[in-house]
Structure formats: C-alpha cells, structure tokens
Amino acid sequence: MTFKERLNQGVVLFDGAMGTQIHELNPTMEEWDHKEGCSEILNLTIPEKIKNIHKAYLHAGADVIETNTFGANQIVLDEYGLKNKVREINRVAAELAQSAASEFSSSKPRFVAGSIGPGTKLASLGQISFDALHRSYFEQAMGLIDGKVDLFLVETCQDPLQIKAALIAIMDAQVQQQVSIPMAVTVTVETTGTLLVGSELQVIITALKPYPIVALGINCATGPDKMHPYISQLCEYFDGPVMVQPNAGLPQNLNGQLTYTFDKNIFADILASFIEKDGVSIVGGCCGTTPEFINTVHHRVAKLSPAKRTPQKQAAITSLYTSVLMDQDPAPFFVGERTNTNGSRAFKELLLENQWDKVVDIAREQMETGAHGLDLCVAFAGRDEISDMAEAATRIIKNVNLPLFFDSTQLDVMEHSLKLYGGKAVINSINLENGEERAHEICRIAKRYGAALVALTIDEKGMALEVDRKISIAKRIYDIAVNNHGIAPEDLIFDALTFTLGSGDESLKTAGINTLEGIRGIKENIPGVKTILGLSNISFGLKASSRVFLNSVFLAEAVKSGLDMAIVDVKKILPLYKLDEKDLQFCLDLIYNRGDNILFDFINHFDAKSGDFVQEENKEELSLEEKIRKNIVQGKRTGMNDLLLEALKTRSPLGIINELLIPAMKIVGELFGSGKMQLPFVLQSAEVMKSSVDILEPYMEKTDEESQTSIVLATVRGDVHDIGKNLVDIILSNNGFKVHNLGIKCEIDTILDKVEEVKAHAIGMSGLLVKSSVIMKENLEEMKRRNIEIPVLLGGAALTKNYVDETCAPVLNSPVIYCMDAFKGLEAMNAIKDGTLKLAKDPVKTKTKPLIAPVKDEAPIIISRNIDIPQVPFWGSRVLENISLDEVFEYITEEVLFRGRWGYRRGAATKDEYDDLINNTVRPEYEKLKIRCKNQGLLQPKAVYGYWPCNSENNDVIIFKPETNKEILRFNFPRQNIAPHLCISDFFYPVDSGKRDIIAFQLATVGEKASETSQELYKSNVYKDYLLFHGLSVEAAEALAELNHLIIRKELNIIEEDGKGISDFVVQKYRGSRYSFGYPACPDLKENRKIFDLLEPERIGVRISDEDQMIPEQTTSAFVVHHPQAKYFRV
Amino acid sequence: MEKWICTNCGYIYDPEIGDPENGAPAKTPFEDVPKDWVCPVCYVGKDLFDPL
Ligand SMILES: [Zn+2]
C-alpha cells in the first residue's frame, strides 16, 4: 500500500518528538562523536537506540514515523564538519526507520517519512541564497531516496522561499533517481500569527498551490489549544489533506529545564475535535510529545473519520506577507505601473543613479494610492538587468506589502527574480512572438517557481488586432501552459492588447472595440482564466489632461466586458461620477468609434475644458481668494502656505479668517447639510482650516478672546465617549468660536464652574450611553437650581429630538437644542452669536407610542421550559489570543463603519453615485487603513471568555462555582413594567427546577494601542485620520465580540439557527442573544464589575473605571444566553 | 420603495415587511414610518437611518 492510498482510508497518525526522546537517552560524548547537539550523527553512532525510539512510536500505534534527519542537510551538517556525510546519514537514517517499520507492519501498514527541517538560515531575509538552499536540500533528498522513504515531510517551515527551495530540490532529486515519492509540508505559525519571516498562513496556502504536495499542515510553536484558528483556515482554504503536529503545550521552565506539561488526554481530545469538527486527516506530535502521548491519541482517534470539507477555491497571488485575491471586489485588481523604466521617467532616473531607497518609495506610494500589485521592470540598455532586478526586488519584497509582477523579456531575469520571491509572483509576460519553444521555456520557469503568467496575444505574425486572432492566440498559449505544463487556468492572465485611439490611424479606429470584444471572447471561450490590460496605451499620444478621462472610461468599459486586472497609475483613475455627461459621452464615442470626426471632436472638447481638477497647473486663472476658498472646500493643504502669505499683503489675518476661510467652511457646512459632502471630507477641510489659522497666528495681534462667542463642551458624568464631542470641537473652533473642551466624564459642577469662569455663551453636552440622556436632564435641573440659564446644545447617539424637545427643553428657560450632528451645533452657535436663537415656546406635544407595542394583554409571552441545556466545552474562563486581525475584519459591519462611524452617508445621492464613492474612495481608504493597522500593530485583538453554571431566581441570575456548586455572585436584572413584562432572568431555568443552566461571558478588546493612537491623531489635528481610525477601532471591537460570540455558539453546538454572516448576526439571526450592560435590556453598567470578577480581563489589559466603564474604550463585554427565545428588548 | 439601513447597527428596514409590532405595517415606505419610531435592534431614532 502506498502512503497516498493509506491517506484515502482515513485518519493517519504520525509519531511524536524525536528530539525529546534523544534528550532522554542522554548520549555520552563518544556517542555524540564529540559533536554534541548534532542529533543526526546518532544514526551512525547508536543506530539501535534510535531504532528503539522509532519502535516505541510504532508500538504506540503510529502509522508514520519520521526519520531522524531534521537537520541533515548540507548547511547544518557543515557546521559539524559533516558536509560530506549528508547523503550517507540520510540513507542510514531512512534505512533504520524502514527496518523498524517492517517489524511492525503485520498489524497494519506503516510508513517512513523523510524529515527535512528548515535549517538555520532564512532565505527571505537574505541570510542564504536560494541556490545554496537548493543544493543543501538536494543532497539530503538524494540520501533519503537511497534509504527508501515512503514520503517526504518538509517540516517546521518558517519561510515560504525555503519551502519552495526544498520542494524543488526534492523534485529534482526524484527526477534524477527516477522515482515518485509524495511530499507533505508543515509550517510553524508563531504566536504572532505569522511564520517567522512574517508571512501569513494564507500566503503559504496560495504560494504552495502550484506544487503537487499531498498534505499541508502546521506543527510546533504551541500546543493544540492555540492552533484552532490556523487549523480552521487551512481546512477552509487548502484543497488537500490537512495535518497537525502540535507541541505538548508551551514549554515551562522547571528548575532550569524546559519541560512540557500539557495533559495528554486534553491533547488527544483537541486533536479529535480537529478531526471531527474541522476535517483534519493527519495528526501527530511535535516537541515534548512522547510515545505515551501518541498512544493516547491513537486510542482516541483511530476510529474517527474526518469531517467533510469543501475548501474554497480562490485565485490569488501574494507578497511575502499577504495573499491578495485576483478577483477584487470591485474589479479590477490594480497593478501599479510606476515602478517601470518604460513607463516612468522618474523611476528610470532613480535607477540610473542607483537610488534604491527612492525606488522603494515609488513602490510604496503606489500601495498608498490603492494598487493591489506592482509591475516591476528595470530593463535599460547598457545595464545589468539581473543585478538591478535583485537590488530593487529584495528591497521592495521586504518593505512593500504588494505582490510583484516581474516584467522582463529575459528568461534569466525571470528565473533570478523568482528565486528571491517567497510568495506567489506573476511573470510579465509570455507570448508567441518567438515561437512555441520559448513559450515552453517560460512555462517551465513559471511552473517550477509557482508563478502566475501574464500572456500577451502576440504570435509569430505579430500583435493581434482582430478579435478572432486575439482569442485563437490565447487558446494556443492556454494549450501550452495548461495542457502541457499543468499550470492552473487561473494563473494565466491574458492581455488582449490595447492600441491607441489617439493616432487617427484608420486601422486602429475600432481597436478599442476589438480589445473589449477580445476580453469578452477570451473569458467566454477559455473558462477559468483571468484578463489584464495595459490601460494607458489606449490614449497614447493624446494630451495628459484628456488621457485621464479616456483611460478611466475605457477601464470602466473593460471591466464590464470581464476585465479582472489593469496595469495603471492608480492615482490617475477617476471615478466616473466625477465626469460630467459630456466628458463621458466624448470618451464613449471615441472608444466605440461613433461619428465621423470623433477624434477631432474629442480633442476639441478636452482642449476647451479649463480648470481641469486633475491637472493642478490649470488653476492659474482663479483669483487668489477663489484658490484659498477652493483649497478649504476641497481639503487641500498643498500650496496653502504661499497663498495665505500672498493674501496677507492685502488683508489682515483676521480678515482672511473671517472673509475667506470661515465663508469657505460655511460652504463645507452647506454641502454637508445637503448630503453632498461626507463627514471625512468635512474633516479634511477642517484640517486645512486649522493649519491655515496656524499659519496666520504669528501675524495676529493677541485676540480678544472675550469678544469671541464661546462654549463649554463636555461629555457628561459616567460617559467616556469623546469622538462626537471632539468633532463638535473641531467644527466650532474652525469656524471662529472659542471652545473650552473639558473632556470626558464631566461632573455638572465642573462644567458650570468653567462656564462662570470664562463667561461662556453656551454649554454643549455629549454622551453615547442610554443613561447619559438621563444625566443630561439632571444636569439641566442643576443649572436651573444654580440659576445658570444659557443655551444648551445636546448631542449623542442615544438622544432623539423628541426626548430633547419634550423632556429636556421644558426644564430651562433658555433654549435647549438637539444637535443631530456637529453642523447643527454650528448653526445654533451662529444663531447665538447673531442673537437669533429662539426658545421653542411651546414644544409640540406628540404622544409617544410605547416603544414595544404592548402585545395583546391576554397573550403574554410564554418562555419555553423545554430547552436542552447545551454542553459546555470547559468551565471557567480562557484567554483567546493569536486572533488574526483579518478574521476580525471579516465580522465588521461595513455599512455601519462606512455610514455610521465614518459618516459616508448616501443621503440624497443616487445609488450609483453612492456606490462610486464607496468603491473609489471609501474602500481604498478602508483597505489601506486595515493594512496600516496590521503592519503597525495598531489593533491587537484579545478576548477572554468562559462558561459558568447558573440558575434564575425571580429577577436574579445566580452564578455558581463550577467545582463546588456554591453561589459566587448574582446579577440582578430589571423587568419591563409594561407587557410582556420580560426580564433577562426569564430565559434561564429557575433554581428550583432541578436543572443547572449555563451562561457564557465574554470580554473582547482591540487593545490599549488603539486608544493611544486615536488620541495622538486627534492631538495632531489630523481630523480625518482620527475619525477613520477611531471608527475602525470601535467597529473592530464589535466585530471581535461578534466573532467571540460565534466561537461560543460553535462550542456550545448551537449554530443551527445561525444566519449566513455578519449581516444576519447584527439582526440576531442566531440562537439566543448576547447582551451588554448599559444597553436597553440591562442598562445598569455597575453589573459589569461582576463580569470583571468572573473573567479577570486585567489579564488582557482591560480595566474598569470608577464610572464602571471599560478602558480602553475599544472594548466590549457581554453575557451570552442560549435560550432560543432570548432576543433584545427594552425595559 | 427603498430600503433604509440603520447606520448604528446595520438593521435594514424593508418597507415590504415594515415593522408591524412597532407601528409600521407592511408596505409602509420609510418616509411614512412614525416619527418616533426607533430601530428595533438598537433603538436609535429615524435620523440615523440612510437609504441603502
Ligand atoms: Zn439599529
């Protein structure tokens, strides 16, 4: 039986640690042959003892044993002077293992895996070359083949480039010896969530897909308890058997000895759940595991069958660190074109001057403008392309997190580039211009290094202009690449070629149509392949100002025809909503060759367009005042310094502020009010306003602050939320008002003392919590008592206009204004300044309907007592670390982030306009910010959660200590005083029911760093970044809570009612409910302290303030109720 | 009739379904939902809804 056949028959058990067992042997100096630490030499010096270790594992039930050759490659053995013994040691080790296996093969088939470890040097960090690694592994593989291993295990990998070198070396050795032996790979995911060199697991999955490996898994680093996120990722995305070999937990230092203390039964249980729940099919142990462990696992898993899996198929390429989908949503995948000697003069000059750091800057800029990948071309006559490519690529690979397209016509350049690249790159390009033999060569390189290919529709006769030729050439290339070389169809990216529409050449008039039809034809006729376009060719020869328009429109048309990727300068792509009807029409007419003189008309139209907002240099015609105003409205800081200094020649600083800047901000406010401008853009304008005032400040005489209309601003007692209040501060202070921002958690006395001290004209109170709206009313009563009756502005998420008008306003004799947003606050302040703010005399009394319509009185809700109590996986709490930020991001409600936190509301815009905004502005911002959060560790997801026995008693829920069944504490919940008179305790079995119910608690945070970063951004006056980052951080905490809740439902096995994803979860499409204190069903924040007592979240850096709120702000706590009838309600 | 989304929690008001328990029978366009109606999931007011 071959190993592959065995794999098809069910769970396969590997052995445990070799190193740990050798340590137990405690070999003498003679046995070490004076090479202490070189475990591989023991194969020669004490073969029987090594064989005994193998036998112990076989006896324990292992199906597969690994040879004692972890470090038996040239590079490692060379350190012991054993370079010439590599092949011998590997042969002997394999023979030893085989002879042990044959003694046990009567009961069941046994196999020997040739262990190939990572060595001591990291290729991706430049510590060793690909070729040196390849040589080193080749020798080892030759020896293992000599000794007749049944499979290769390339294990404990830390670097994708090292894995590729090993796999390629093994394949080369197999070709030489004319054998075919399966290969498996395990990688080690560090506690940081990536491999040692920083690659995410998804990079490994994508980059190894082109290689014929029989299994992919993870090993080492941690115990099985920390591995689940990676296991489930592998099971979801890797299209083949998944294996796992955990350590026996994390090593503990006991009396100076590293000891592994993980319980073998729990170890076996977790592996069993990987098999049954996730679909893992190969298990075993790594450091610290022993024959006893393997025997326990053997008994636990022998009869199990792996859960059925349906791995997702994804076409992707990768950088060293991240995998990127080729199908971007929205399409296309942007390939930045600036790092190209043929496309960018600036780049070419930097190259000629060997300014490699600046080359990296150009690459980085493209990432920042939204590119998903980078085309890299360094070809320049007279220079050494191989060495230039190496200089540029090594730096870009390490510093810029984008997949690379190696753009060269030279085979040796292609091959050398790929030897530097751990991820999955793209070769640009292959064609048939020089016949099929050369195409075969390129396919061999692509296949060997696992790269995708850009394929141009060029054949021996030249570039294909006609649609039919484009398609037939594509088919020929497909035949060579896919049918001959086994390259995956999605790794072929066809370029149907673009020709300029700007030459007036008669034969090219329909070139645009042909390209679009070519793209469509290729996608229709050749299933599975991708398409790409060198976009800017379409407008070659035309004026720069019109090229932007034509390129953008042609791109949109190409995407409609099925284009997947485009090579572009991303910052020169306009969203179509920025084009007026006429621009669009002329571009479309030119593309579709409509009208006799269309090129002429096109050129005339765009020549006549002045003040083009893409081309800054055309701004000369605007007056100085208009330029200043325009910069504020458009949020542009560039050039503002010079403009203001110029303006100072004719105006006073205060004049500039009052006559130019503030009116410009007024326009911004109006645009915002009418829904034409979104909040982040408003903040960008405010930033420019702020920096403009800072520029003017030195020229101003000391301002008479008393004459300024002023406001004291604060978040009310017990509330720590400051984003809303700070936005008001930004808008008011940048519109000429004096703002005294007192911060958060302000007692009314503090506020009123300040009001008296500065003789403020108004008070602004903010708060997000439900209870803050009550406190606002109490504060107004205190004002009344202290006889301070000045206008009050109220804002915050929990407020409504009705509440303010009907409950708050009547308290005072001065106006109390509900401010839905910062501009309503500005409006009110302007009215105060002008003396026109009116007291709403008789607030219209509308009868408020009860928020929950009373269910018909005769039919109260019956809470079922016939609910199975789920089994908990453990009692008490556990810390959840190593959560991947990407996984957290999956549970972000983007609609809430974009529209709610960030304020990108659709409002009065059309759906198409809004979609354009989201796709062209918001999403790129979002993606960039996510990458920044990941790279700089700004968000650090951590959670602690757990399960406790509980029962209800009237309105209380009693929590018991799992071990003793004694009451630890009890929560007291309020009951609705209207029908149906619900209380959260109703959802639990009563204490006298005789059944112990269960409850889960969770507390999730994205960390202290998020709070600090928010504050830093606010203090540095980068208002837009502040808003965006703060919004994302808060939503990430919510997302993490949602993820943690899902984990709890999975562990409780109550996912039968689960909806499809986050959009369903937000409306509680799942069994039971997750409640947080401070919200309508359980408003009492004080109860939060009890959650702290249970979960001890200090372990993950979360504290509770005197006001019972959690610090950092980006934290959520909750309890999870499993009762299916438990949903949100309001008391 | 257009759907509206709660920008605070992601709940979507679908006029075909309405929110009958809270004063908005099926087929009520969002504009005609009572002024004091609140999001049935997170209880924020109508102001915080945005057309989808
Ligand atoms: Zn809501």
Side-chain angles (χ1 to χ4, degrees), chain A residues 445-456:
Chain A
I445 294 174
K447 180 72 187 163
R448 182 173 173 88
Y449 298 97
L453 275 172
V454 170
L456 307 181

PDB file of all heavy atoms in Angstrom, chain A residues 445-456:
ATOM      1  N   ILE A 445       9.651  27.701 -16.293  1.00  0.00           N
ATOM      2  CA  ILE A 445      10.077  28.559 -15.170  1.00  0.00           C
ATOM      3  C   ILE A 445       8.897  28.865 -14.252  1.00  0.00           C
ATOM      4  O   ILE A 445       8.980  28.746 -13.030  1.00  0.00           O
ATOM      5  CB  ILE A 445      10.699  29.871 -15.711  1.00  0.00           C
ATOM      6  CG1 ILE A 445      12.004  29.563 -16.446  1.00  0.00           C
ATOM      7  CG2 ILE A 445      10.939  30.865 -14.580  1.00  0.00           C
ATOM      8  CD1 ILE A 445      12.624  30.777 -17.132  1.00  0.00           C
ATOM      9  N   ALA A 446       7.769  29.235 -14.863  1.00  0.00           N
ATOM     10  CA  ALA A 446       6.590  29.588 -14.050  1.00  0.00           C
ATOM     11  C   ALA A 446       6.160  28.408 -13.199  1.00  0.00           C
ATOM     12  O   ALA A 446       5.863  28.542 -12.011  1.00  0.00           O
ATOM     13  CB  ALA A 446       5.448  30.036 -14.963  1.00  0.00           C
ATOM     14  N   LYS A 447       6.168  27.232 -13.815  1.00  0.00           N
ATOM     15  CA  LYS A 447       5.722  26.042 -13.101  1.00  0.00           C
ATOM     16  C   LYS A 447       6.691  25.709 -11.962  1.00  0.00           C
ATOM     17  O   LYS A 447       6.282  25.418 -10.838  1.00  0.00           O
ATOM     18  CB  LYS A 447       5.647  24.882 -14.100  1.00  0.00           C
ATOM     19  CG  LYS A 447       5.196  23.562 -13.511  1.00  0.00           C
ATOM     20  CD  LYS A 447       3.727  23.591 -13.168  1.00  0.00           C
ATOM     21  CE  LYS A 447       3.315  22.322 -12.416  1.00  0.00           C
ATOM     22  NZ  LYS A 447       2.049  22.471 -11.728  1.00  0.00           N
ATOM     23  N   ARG A 448       7.979  25.767 -12.266  1.00  0.00           N
ATOM     24  CA  ARG A 448       8.983  25.404 -11.269  1.00  0.00           C
ATOM     25  C   ARG A 448       8.907  26.290 -10.027  1.00  0.00           C
ATOM     26  O   ARG A 448       8.977  25.817  -8.910  1.00  0.00           O
ATOM     27  CB  ARG A 448      10.383  25.522 -11.905  1.00  0.00           C
ATOM     28  CG  ARG A 448      11.553  25.132 -11.000  1.00  0.00           C
ATOM     29  CD  ARG A 448      12.852  25.135 -11.808  1.00  0.00           C
ATOM     30  NE  ARG A 448      14.034  24.924 -10.993  1.00  0.00           N
ATOM     31  CZ  ARG A 448      14.525  23.717 -10.684  1.00  0.00           C
ATOM     32  NH1 ARG A 448      13.900  22.636 -11.099  1.00  0.00           N
ATOM     33  NH2 ARG A 448      15.621  23.609  -9.947  1.00  0.00           N
ATOM     34  N   TYR A 449       8.724  27.609 -10.229  1.00  0.00           N
ATOM     35  CA  TYR A 449       8.733  28.524  -9.095  1.00  0.00           C
ATOM     36  C   TYR A 449       7.324  28.910  -8.647  1.00  0.00           C
ATOM     37  O   TYR A 449       7.142  29.802  -7.816  1.00  0.00           O
ATOM     38  CB  TYR A 449       9.567  29.766  -9.430  1.00  0.00           C
ATOM     39  CG  TYR A 449      11.005  29.393  -9.694  1.00  0.00           C
ATOM     40  CD1 TYR A 449      11.473  29.217 -10.997  1.00  0.00           C
ATOM     41  CD2 TYR A 449      11.882  29.150  -8.632  1.00  0.00           C
ATOM     42  CE1 TYR A 449      12.776  28.833 -11.237  1.00  0.00           C
ATOM     43  CE2 TYR A 449      13.187  28.768  -8.863  1.00  0.00           C
ATOM     44  CZ  TYR A 449      13.633  28.610 -10.167  1.00  0.00           C
ATOM     45  OH  TYR A 449      14.920  28.215 -10.392  1.00  0.00           O
ATOM     46  N   GLY A 450       6.324  28.265  -9.244  1.00  0.00           N
ATOM     47  CA  GLY A 450       4.955  28.502  -8.791  1.00  0.00           C
ATOM     48  C   GLY A 450       4.457  29.915  -9.049  1.00  0.00           C
ATOM     49  O   GLY A 450       3.801  30.504  -8.204  1.00  0.00           O
ATOM     50  N   ALA A 451       4.756  30.455 -10.221  1.00  0.00           N
ATOM     51  CA  ALA A 451       4.312  31.821 -10.529  1.00  0.00           C
ATOM     52  C   ALA A 451       3.133  31.800 -11.498  1.00  0.00           C
ATOM     53  O   ALA A 451       2.950  30.838 -12.237  1.00  0.00           O
ATOM     54  CB  ALA A 451       5.462  32.611 -11.152  1.00  0.00           C
ATOM     55  N   ALA A 452       2.348  32.872 -11.477  1.00  0.00           N
ATOM     56  CA  ALA A 452       1.315  33.064 -12.489  1.00  0.00           C
ATOM     57  C   ALA A 452       1.955  33.771 -13.689  1.00  0.00           C
ATOM     58  O   ALA A 452       3.101  34.229 -13.602  1.00  0.00           O
ATOM     59  CB  ALA A 452       0.169  33.886 -11.921  1.00  0.00           C
ATOM     60  N   LEU A 453       1.206  33.844 -14.789  1.00  0.00           N
ATOM     61  CA  LEU A 453       1.771  34.377 -16.033  1.00  0.00           C
ATOM     62  C   LEU A 453       0.844  35.388 -16.678  1.00  0.00           C
ATOM     63  O   LEU A 453      -0.347  35.121 -16.835  1.00  0.00           O
ATOM     64  CB  LEU A 453       1.909  33.233 -17.042  1.00  0.00           C
ATOM     65  CG  LEU A 453       3.143  32.350 -17.010  1.00  0.00           C
ATOM     66  CD1 LEU A 453       2.926  31.183 -17.966  1.00  0.00           C
ATOM     67  CD2 LEU A 453       4.370  33.153 -17.423  1.00  0.00           C
ATOM     68  N   VAL A 454       1.389  36.524 -17.062  1.00  0.00           N
ATOM     69  CA  VAL A 454       0.647  37.414 -17.944  1.00  0.00           C
ATOM     70  C   VAL A 454       0.950  36.968 -19.371  1.00  0.00           C
ATOM     71  O   VAL A 454       2.124  36.794 -19.728  1.00  0.00           O
ATOM     72  CB  VAL A 454       1.065  38.883 -17.749  1.00  0.00           C
ATOM     73  CG1 VAL A 454       0.457  39.759 -18.841  1.00  0.00           C
ATOM     74  CG2 VAL A 454       0.658  39.373 -16.376  1.00  0.00           C
ATOM     75  N   ALA A 455      -0.087  36.750 -20.165  1.00  0.00           N
ATOM     76  CA  ALA A 455       0.108  36.248 -21.530  1.00  0.00           C
ATOM     77  C   ALA A 455      -0.433  37.261 -22.530  1.00  0.00           C
ATOM     78  O   ALA A 455      -1.605  37.606 -22.511  1.00  0.00           O
ATOM     79  CB  ALA A 455      -0.603  34.909 -21.696  1.00  0.00           C
ATOM     80  N   LEU A 456       0.457  37.739 -23.409  1.00  0.00           N
ATOM     81  CA  LEU A 456       0.056  38.713 -24.416  1.00  0.00           C
ATOM     82  C   LEU A 456      -0.387  37.992 -25.686  1.00  0.00           C
ATOM     83  O   LEU A 456       0.231  37.007 -26.093  1.00  0.00           O
ATOM     84  CB  LEU A 456       1.225  39.636 -24.760  1.00  0.00           C
ATOM     85  CG  LEU A 456       1.918  40.348 -23.601  1.00  0.00           C
ATOM     86  CD1 LEU A 456       3.040  41.243 -24.142  1.00  0.00           C
ATOM     87  CD2 LEU A 456       0.935  41.174 -22.803  1.00  0.00           C
TER      88      LEU A 456
END
